Amino acid sequence: MNSKIQYRHTITTLSLGAEEKRDSGDAPKPPEDNFAPARQALAELDCDVLIHAGGISFGQESHYISIFEKQSQRAEHVILWLTSPGGDPDTAYQISRLLQKRYQKVSVFINGWCKSSGTLICLGANELIMDDLGQLGPLDIQILNREEFGERLSGLNPIEALKSISAQSLELLKQQFLNVRFGGGLSTKQALEVATNLTGQLMSPITAQLDIMKYGEFTRSMRIAVEYGQRLAKSCRGNNLKPDAINLLTTGYPSHGFVIDFDEARESLFNEVSEPSENLKLVAKTLQPFVDTWAGGANNSAMIIDVRHALGVPFTLESASNQGNQDDEPNAEVTPASKRKGKPAKERAKNPAQSETADDDSGKNDDEPGQ
């Protein structure tokens, strides 16, 4: 099945399938529009909302570009709802840079897991939006294990191994020195020499198992995370990272799955971490089942959609201006990507069926969501 059709069926035609069952008498009558609460909440938001649910893999950056090209208008602010186990760091960097180039403000909304390369995308954001279940993870880039099919190894493995060996060696050296110095009656110089030799002999079988080439591969992968992180922070309009955040993310946590929650993120890593607004919570509540389904998909599959496009609630200058007047925000006005098309967002939210019909008549590609 074409990937674009998958995205469309995930959101747009799900409610249509329920209506077909209702008409045939196979199912109880459902609500007229299961997505009406999300549409109404989306109409009240003066920003674009994108979803990336699933792995991060090569080629997904092209899908983001396709989304941008189809936007009749674009806000200055975007919220990327990101739920991901991680994936390719090169693609994560490109996605974050694309968002930086096309929007004045980038927010990343996290209400589930966002690990590894997902965390890397967050380094280029102006703001993180997290709830109590949102969790980031360390920047330990995963490397394919050549000895086990389909298995990946964390870039933290050799770092943690060397830390452990170093700590054990120092402790062993200390014990041997004290035993020889005070138990054997040798001088300090003689005791240190004997203790050093004993420690080397005891630890050499362990250090001999280290693969220098593999260690170099792991350290290079970790350097990729550091370099990309520094570049994303530098190109962000208003660096959102605390001074030692990248170093902490790459070497300061013990495991790939280590949970970095709201408090940890705000206190140790990012300057701007906030809770989701009521409207964003309502959008998330409505679409959460689809995000959860795709987030756990195999082979780094992902659902990447423009929520406004999928639900038929386009961003318009009128809705942004009205919202800006209510909130008294100076940056409400935006520069349109092209001439304004369609009805105001709130009107389309009230009558999504008519909006989808109008979109279909416009001659757009039917494979894309919400058209």
Side-chain angles (χ1 to χ4, degrees):
M1 179 182 291
N2 186 290
S3 60
K4 293 183 179 180
I5 297 178
Q6 287 180 342
Y7 302 142
R8 183 171 185 260
H9 285 186
T10 301
I11 299 295
T12 307
T13 64
L14 188 65
S15 59
L16 299 180
E19 291 173 3
E20 292 171 359
K21 289 184 178 181
R22 178 198 64 198
D23 294 340
S24 63
D26 295 336
K29 182 178 180 180
E32 291 185 2
D33 182 4
N34 293 330
F35 301 111
R39 286 188 170 99
Q40 185 61 40
L42 196 59
E44 299 295 330
L45 291 172
D46 60 340
C47 62
D48 290 337
V49 180
L50 309 180
I51 293 178
H52 187 132
I56 300 170
S57 57
F58 176 77
Q60 290 177 348
E61 66 279 5
S62 298
H63 193 94
Y64 278 84
I65 292 177
S66 177
I67 286 176
F68 298 147
E69 290 176 345
K70 289 179 173 62
Q71 291 173 329
S72 59
Q73 291 187 100
R74 186 164 60 238
E76 289 188 343
H77 177 203
V78 64
I79 296 177
L80 174 65
W81 180 3
L82 181 58
T83 305
S84 176
D88 179 32
D90 301 326
T91 302
Y93 174 76
Q94 286 185 291
I95 290 172
S96 193
R97 286 292 291 130
L98 284 172
L99 294 173
Q100 286 181 340
K101 291 176 181 178
R102 282 162 174 77
Y103 292 95
Q104 293 293 321
K105 180 180 180 182
V106 178
S107 300
V108 178
F109 172 44
I110 304 166
N111 69 340
W113 63 346
C114 179
K115 302 295 187 178
S116 192
S117 292
T119 302
L120 183 61
I121 291 178
C122 296
L123 301 189
N126 304 92
E127 173 193 31
L128 260 61
I129 304 173
M130 299 179 68
D131 66 7
D132 292 337
L133 295 179
Q135 56 172 285
L136 298 170
L139 287 178
D140 57 328
I141 302 302
Q142 302 289 288
I143 297 177
L144 189 66
N145 186 358
R146 297 185 179 90
E147 299 175 359
E148 295 291 340
F149 178 76
E151 181 178 312
R152 291 183 176 271
L153 301 174
S154 170
L156 290 174
N157 289 354
I159 296 176
E160 292 300 315
L162 287 179
K163 284 182 178 180
S164 177
I165 291 174
S166 177
Q168 292 179 17
S169 298
L170 289 174
E171 183 62 27
L172 183 58
L173 177 62
K174 178 183 177 180
Q175 293 176 359
Q176 295 297 330
F177 171 76
L178 294 176
N179 291 338
V180 174
R181 174 67 180 87
F182 298 105
L186 299 179
S187 66
T188 299
K189 181 179 180 180
Q190 291 174 327
L192 182 59
E193 183 178 350
V194 172
T196 301
N197 291 334
L198 287 174
T199 301
Q201 292 176 12
L202 292 173
M203 297 300 297
S204 59
I206 299 176
T207 56
Q209 298 181 37
L210 294 176
D211 188 334
I212 300 301
M213 296 301 294
K214 182 173 290 187
Y215 176 75
E217 182 180 4
F218 275 84
T219 53
R220 185 174 64 251
S221 72
M222 297 302 292
R223 184 183 174 188
I224 290 173
V226 172
E227 294 292 334
Y228 278 156
Q230 291 176 344
R231 283 163 172 75
L232 288 175
K234 184 178 179 180
S235 58
C236 178
R237 296 177 180 88
N239 189 350
N240 190 31
L241 295 183
K242 293 185 181 296
D244 200 41
I246 294 178
N247 180 59
L248 184 59
L249 284 168
T250 52
T251 62
Y253 296 100
S255 69
H256 175 69
F258 196 90
V259 174
I260 301 174
D261 61 10
F262 180 96
D263 293 331
E264 174 83 6
R266 183 171 60 179
E267 293 172 5
S268 303
L269 300 173
F270 298 91
N271 297 316
E272 297 294 334
V273 183
S274 61
E275 297 179 355
S277 66
E278 292 302 319
N279 283 324
L280 184 57
K281 287 180 182 179
L282 188 54
V283 172
K285 181 179 180 180
T286 306
L287 303 183
Q288 192 69 56
F290 312 108
V291 170
D292 291 342
T293 298
W294 281 89
N299 300 321
N300 278 344
S301 61
M303 175 179 70
I304 306 172
I305 61 171
D306 181 343
V307 180
R308 287 189 178 279
H309 189 62
L311 297 184
V313 187
F315 175 82
T316 66
L317 290 176
E318 292 180 17
S319 61
S321 177
N322 293 337
Q323 184 70 21
N325 292 335
Q326 294 174 4
D327 298 338
D328 197 25
E329 293 180 357
N331 294 327
E333 292 188 2
V334 298
T335 302
S338 61
K339 293 183 178 179
R340 183 168 60 87
K341 297 186 292 184
K343 300 180 179 180
K346 294 184 180 180
E347 183 177 345
R348 296 197 58 170
K350 295 178 181 178
N351 193 355
Q354 182 177 351
S355 300
E356 291 180 2
T357 303
D359 286 342
D360 290 338
D361 293 340
S362 66
K364 293 183 180 179
N365 188 347
D366 191 55
D367 285 341
E368 289 300 317
Q371 293 185 346

